[in-house]
Amino acid sequence: MKEKVRIEIDGSLYCSINEYCHKYGINKLYFNEPVKIIEGTKNCSKMFLGCKKFNQPVIIPEGVINCEFMFYACEEFNQSLIIPDSVKNCLHMFAECKKLNQIIKFPKNLECCDYMFTDCNNFNQSVKLPNNLKSCVGMFQRCYRFNQPINIPDTVINCYGMFAICMSFNQFIKLPKNLVNCKYMFYQCYHFNQPITIPNNTIECDNMIDKCHSFHELITAPINKLYAFKYKIKFKYNKNKIEIDSYILKNCEIDTMVTFELKKAINVSEEEFAEISLLALLN
């Protein structure tokens, strides 16, 4: 039993919040007691999950590896936090913490922060991502207020829906050179209007800027990636250039006519880049 103990509440040791609430007949939804996480703990997965009223300072001890779903749906939680460098997994760690708007210090060895701040509607703090990070799927999804500069390290390979429905977001993002998937990355970012360069290693970028109503910036992409933007494209040959006819941008509440012009010669290899200038003409 001793090796399973993870927390101390009111000077007594418990295996979980559930055990404490069961012992004293407390509804977990209303749990809001100071908690000490015991040294030697490795797994903080789901520790405060569903404690909607919990809003206490928490110290995560060095040695913890897994923090997935740790504060999931803690709707009142709004505390700054230092995540120790031993932590590798922050999947859904603060998802649905609707009041959270505090500085979170990221661990150096973090590999996964998928959906870490999903539905943190008020979150708008500076974030420094560590160099070992590999996946940021849906990291800021539906963070309606988030609009901070952010550097994505080149180790990241998956940014699927990273800023999806971040309605205030409008920051330049340098896509990491090893990025494979950026589908829906800026989906429904209504104010997003920054130039984009698609890396050579990227395979999936479908719907990347769907419903970005303000977008009319420059996209630079390998020629063989153009199909991924899901537009109705017609090619016309004009000397050494390719011109792409205007078309209706899909999935926009306001239909947007967009014109592309490839500024590279037609005989470039698929590995080379083509610059695409977008001139948005609203109907």
Side-chain angles (χ1 to χ4, degrees):
M1 173 63 75
K2 185 176 181 180
E3 64 184 15
K4 294 182 181 179
V5 169
R6 296 190 300 177
I7 59 174
E8 179 181 313
I9 304 173
D10 293 335
S12 300
L13 300 178
Y14 296 91
C15 293
S16 66
I17 303 295
N18 289 337
E19 183 188 31
Y20 173 83
C21 290
H22 178 74
K23 180 177 179 179
Y24 292 100
I26 299 172
N27 187 330
K28 183 181 176 181
L29 296 176
Y30 300 99
F31 176 82
N32 188 27
E33 302 291 336
V35 171
K36 178 182 178 182
I37 303 173
I38 303 302
E39 294 289 337
T41 298
K42 301 292 184 185
N43 186 8
C44 287
S45 173
K46 302 179 182 179
M47 183 172 280
F48 301 99
L49 183 147
C51 297
K52 292 189 175 184
K53 299 297 183 181
F54 183 75
N55 187 27
Q56 298 286 340
V58 174
I59 297 175
I60 303 174
E62 187 66 41
V64 171
I65 297 173
N66 186 10
C67 286
E68 66 180 14
F69 290 91
M70 185 174 179
F71 298 97
Y72 184 86
C74 292
E75 295 181 357
E76 296 291 325
F77 187 75
N78 188 27
Q79 302 285 336
S80 60
L81 192 71
I82 297 173
I83 306 174
D85 289 337
S86 56
V87 172
K88 294 183 178 182
N89 184 8
C90 287
L91 173 73
H92 283 283
M93 185 175 181
F94 301 102
E96 296 190 29
C97 290
K98 298 184 183 301
K99 291 190 177 180
L100 181 67
N101 190 28
Q102 299 288 338
I103 294 291
I104 305 296
K105 183 181 181 298
F106 281 67
K108 293 179 181 178
N109 296 310
L110 184 63
E111 295 178 358
C112 174
C113 57
D114 293 357
Y115 306 103
M116 187 174 179
F117 297 100
T118 290
D119 291 311
C120 291
N121 306 145
N122 284 300
F123 187 75
N124 187 29
Q125 295 290 333
S126 176
V127 170
K128 185 177 180 181
L129 299 179
N131 289 328
N132 287 329
L133 195 60
K134 292 181 173 59
S135 184
C136 297
V137 173
M139 184 177 181
F140 299 102
Q141 186 172 278
R142 289 187 296 275
C143 289
Y144 299 141
R145 295 182 59 193
F146 186 73
N147 187 27
Q148 296 288 335
I150 187 167
N151 179 47
I152 305 175
D154 284 333
T155 52
V156 172
I157 61 175
N158 196 348
C159 286
Y160 181 101
M162 183 175 180
F163 301 100
I165 321 179
C166 289
M167 296 180 180
S168 301
F169 189 74
N170 186 25
Q171 300 288 335
F172 173 74
I173 298 292
K174 182 181 182 296
L175 298 183
K177 64 181 180 181
N178 293 313
L179 184 64
V180 173
N181 189 343
C182 55
K183 290 177 69 172
Y184 292 95
M185 186 171 179
F186 302 105
Y187 174 77
Q188 208 168 313
C189 291
Y190 292 149
H191 291 93
F192 183 72
N193 187 31
Q194 300 291 334
I196 296 173
T197 297
I198 307 295
N200 265 327
N201 291 325
T202 303
I203 297 174
E204 302 282 353
C205 46
D206 295 13
N207 307 100
M208 184 182 185
I209 53 170
D210 275 11
K211 295 190 178 180
C212 291
H213 300 321
S214 299
F215 188 82
H216 58 270
E217 263 290 355
L218 184 75
I219 294 178
T220 304
I223 287 179
N224 62 342
K225 298 296 189 297
L226 291 180
Y227 74 91
F229 288 94
K230 295 291 187 185
Y231 301 144
K232 298 176 181 177
I233 298 175
K234 294 181 181 179
F235 290 87
K236 291 199 302 188
Y237 300 91
N238 179 13
K239 295 182 180 180
N240 290 328
K241 293 183 179 181
I242 307 171
E243 293 181 358
I244 304 178
D245 282 354
S246 300
Y247 61 92
I248 302 296
L249 188 62
K250 292 183 177 180
N251 298 325
C252 280
E253 293 177 4
I254 302 176
D255 288 339
T256 305
M257 296 296 293
V258 180
T259 301
F260 287 93
E261 180 185 357
L262 297 187
K263 296 184 178 180
K264 288 258 186 175
I266 189 173
N267 60 355
V268 295
S269 66
E270 287 189 349
E271 288 74 26
E272 290 191 71
F273 285 91
E275 287 186 350
I276 311 167
S277 59
L278 283 71
L279 304 175
L281 305 172
L282 295 182
N283 284 346

